[in-house]
Amino acid sequence: ILVIVGDFPTARVLETVKEIFGKIPKSQQLPQLPNFPTPQVPTSPIVLQEPGAGKFLQIIYPLPHLNDPDIPVLGVMDYILTGGKNSYLYQALVKSGLATDISAHVVSLRAIGWYDLSVTVAPNQNLQKIDAANKNAITKLVKTGVTLEEVERAKNQLIANVILNRRDITSQGKQFANDLLIANDYRYTERYIENVRKVKPADVIAVINKYLKPEAAAVGFFVPVQNAQDENYQTSEVSTAENLTTGVKITASEVMKYLPATDEKIDDFNH
């Protein structure tokens, strides 16, 4: 893929492009993407135990491909759930003291997608408890609903983030290339923003009900363990120092060769 962005004479540049690349034969049309089977979700959490700093919870929810009309709505949902300190799950998990951090993002590919939710668990908290608290918070949000103000704030955050990521001309070129490679449409991001602006509160609740079902989630627990024999995970305040110049005589003239020029006169010394 060749992407050219900036202020240039279009007709002349296109002629140059044709002259350089026009003789290259077109590739055969890409085969259609296969139908992916429905992912098999583990009935119990996947537990990883190894040396580490703290407990960690990760939840994966399957999502549709990037051209599905629900994708812009899911982007707004993500900002309502985890976009900043005023977001819903931040208040429910971090502000309450159950976790120290929470993050999430919507992954959209041409054939499949997923919602990746990660929670850094606070010390002395139980992973099962955090998992249950997350599910309860999402269930409560569905019952209470979201306000128009919350949706508009999330939409503005999402759109501002997309625009800021394309504020320089190099980033714009990369975005065009990425959209063409992933979505087969170099204007995909523009269409995405247009559809984000159309999202309503009822749309957000609808996608939560549709995709964030507890039975659809693949849950992973990271449980740190202590291993006294593994020195890679041991910390020590003991430091060592080695003198590499013991017995070596150095004169000022030798040192001055490696220092900036100065008007001061330095006598020879021994180190």
Side-chain angles (χ1 to χ4, degrees), residues 238-249:
V238 178
S239 60
T240 59
E242 185 176 1
N243 187 354
L244 301 178
T245 61
T246 302
V248 179
K249 185 176 181 181

Side-chain angles (χ1 to χ4, degrees), residues 36-50:
F36 286 86
T38 302
Q40 299 296 317
V41 179
T43 56
S44 59
I46 301 170
V47 181
L48 174 62
Q49 292 183 314
E50 62 180 32

Side-chain angles (χ1 to χ4, degrees), residues 62-74:
L63 297 181
H65 57 82
L66 82 173
N67 284 310
D68 191 281
D70 286 338
I71 293 300
V73 186
L74 288 162

Side-chain angles (χ1 to χ4, degrees), residues 54-59 82 89-90 92-94 97-104 116-122 125-127 129-131 133-135 220-222:
K55 297 177 183 177
F56 192 77
L57 167 67
Q58 186 170 25
I59 306 174
T82 65
L89 289 181
Y90 186 94
L93 300 179
V94 179
L98 296 174
T100 60
D101 188 37
I102 183 169
S103 63
D116 186 345
L117 176 64
S118 301
V119 181
T120 303
V121 179
Q125 291 291 346
N126 183 275
L127 280 162
K129 180 181 178 180
I130 306 299
D131 184 29
N134 174 71
K135 294 175 182 176
F221 292 165
F222 174 74

